[in-house]
């Protein structure tokens, strides 16, 4: 007779930042690209690098609003799950004759969200489906988008929410679709016509075409395979014939110009997300376009940042301002990701059917559907693992646990 699934919902409350700072620093294994794939202008899958782009400096003074009325926006309401990712992995395994050596497979976006949890005090949280694979909960994502679209109407004289997303100054990761069109070429500069280079401002913006890189990496002893979109290469295409060659990828971002000290905290918060996103995939450069405050979203300047230097830059800026602590600590982000993945990885032997994590401002809520008698064993493992992580930090966290009850012999204090 089939066992009945149970729903378990513990909520563990503790200071994530303190716990992640005090333990030993986890190391992120250097990401190594193992394969890639492309989506074309119709968002159709291709097992090649046909959608890879090349960076060429955009024209300063260009409008980030131009072409908004003809923007060909990808409809991402359908739940694609990990379809393209799994196709790429399957093809690679057939070519190699062996399986990818990974304990967790996930898109870069989900790993970035987890890394950002210790400092993300303003986000509304997120949900993910986590078994061997970790992916964003599409229903939750669509509900969040609907709530954002129902926000109070734009004030007179202010740009709309959709236009700000087109600029790249609204949303979590500052993706500027227009800026990408202004700064990218379909081929190397010497193989691209001057006419195309000088008329990029008039190109129709389409965000369906994407180039996806897949890397093997790891943190805290957990082997991870991550896929993420790469905006462009710096100069030349990656040398596929040399496995040791590191692709010179870059990310493109946009943000409002920094006009006063009051703008610095917001910019440093964006830098944290940009750093985490690039660091996970081994992207070496981030090109940021700064826009003006006018309704046209004029591109004022462009600055290049090296991913590995950003955490130290934030620390130096804090010292110059006489602050005791920087706005964020990269080690804290990596430590939390490692702790989270270790907690997730310990579930693999307990027949977990589904796991949904919801993270928000230092509170982790985990809802799990587990088969039959293994439920209590799994609950005990989950809670003890959380206590182990926090105890190693030397902290004395308080817990608020909500579930179906815990036996006294577990020794769990509520």
């Amino acid at each position: 007779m089939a066992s009945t699934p149970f729903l378990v919902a513990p909520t563990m409350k503790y200071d994530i930042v303190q716990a992640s700072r005090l333990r030993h620093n986890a190391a992120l294994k250097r990401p190594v690209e193992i394969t890639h794939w492309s989506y074309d202008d119709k968002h159709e899958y291709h097992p090649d690098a046909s959608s890879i782009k090349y960076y060429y400096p955009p024209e300063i003074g260009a409008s980030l609003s131009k072409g908004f009325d003809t923007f060909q926006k990808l409809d991402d309401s359908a739940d694609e799950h990990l379809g393209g990712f799994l196709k790429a992995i399957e093809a690679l395994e057939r070519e190699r004759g062996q399986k990818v050596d990974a304990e967790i497979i996930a898109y870069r976006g989900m790993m970035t969200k987890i890394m950002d949890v210790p400092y993300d005090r303003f986000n509304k949280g997120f949900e993910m489906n986590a078994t061997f694979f970790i992916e964003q909960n599409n229903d939750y994502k669509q509900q969040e988008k609907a709530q954002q679209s129902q926000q109070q109407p734009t004030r007179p004289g202010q740009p709309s929410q959709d236009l700000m997303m087109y600029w790249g100054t609204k949303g979590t990761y500052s993706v500027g679709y227009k800026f990408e069109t202004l700064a990218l070429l379909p081929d190397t500069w010497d193989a691209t016509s001057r006419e195309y280079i000088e008329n990029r401002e008039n190109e129709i913006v389409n965000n369906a075409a994407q180039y996806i890189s897949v890397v093997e990496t790891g943190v805290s002893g957990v082997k991870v395979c991550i896929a993420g979109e790469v905006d462009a290469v710096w100069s030349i295409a990656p040398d596929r014939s040399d496995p040791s060659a590191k692709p010179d990828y870059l990310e493109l971002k946009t943000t409002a110009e920094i006009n006063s000290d009051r703008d610095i905290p917001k910019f440093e918060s964006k830098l944290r997300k940009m750093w985490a996103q690039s660091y996970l995939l081994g992207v070496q450069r981030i090109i940021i376009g700064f826009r003006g405050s006018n309704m046209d979203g004029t591109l004022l300047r462009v600055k290049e940042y090296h991913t590995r230097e950003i955490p130290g830059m934030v620390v130096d800026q804090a010292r110059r301002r006489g602050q005791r602590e920087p706005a964020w600590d990269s080690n804290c982000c990596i430590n939390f990701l490692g702790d989270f993945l270790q907690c997730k990885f310990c579930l693999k032997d307990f027949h977990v059917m589904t796991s949904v994590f919801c993270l928000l401002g230092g509170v982790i809520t985990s809802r799990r559907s587990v088969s039959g008698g293994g439920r209590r064993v799994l609950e005990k493992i989950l809670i003890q693992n959380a206590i182990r992580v926090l105890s190693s930090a030397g902290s004395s966290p308080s817990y608020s646990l909500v579930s179906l009850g815990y036996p006294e012999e577990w020794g769990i204090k509520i």
Side-chain angles (χ1 to χ4, degrees), residues 142-172:
Q142 297 306 323
Q143 290 173 12
E144 185 179 36
K145 288 175 63 177
Q147 290 174 358
Q148 291 176 352
S149 65
Q150 294 171 2
Q151 291 177 349
Q152 59 184 4
T154 303
R155 292 177 297 176
Q158 294 293 320
S160 67
Q161 302 289 322
D162 289 341
L163 180 57
M164 291 180 70
M165 293 185 71
Y166 183 71
W167 287 349
T169 53
K170 183 69 177 177
T172 306

Side-chain angles (χ1 to χ4, degrees), residues 229-240:
E229 181 183 2
V230 171
D231 290 332
V233 291
W234 179 249
S235 56
I236 60 174
D239 182 2
R240 308 293 182 190

Side-chain angles (χ1 to χ4, degrees), residues 335-347:
N335 288 343
F336 181 76
L337 175 64
D339 291 342
F340 182 93
L341 294 183
Q342 283 186 321
C343 182
K344 175 66 201 78
F345 184 51
C346 76
L347 308 179

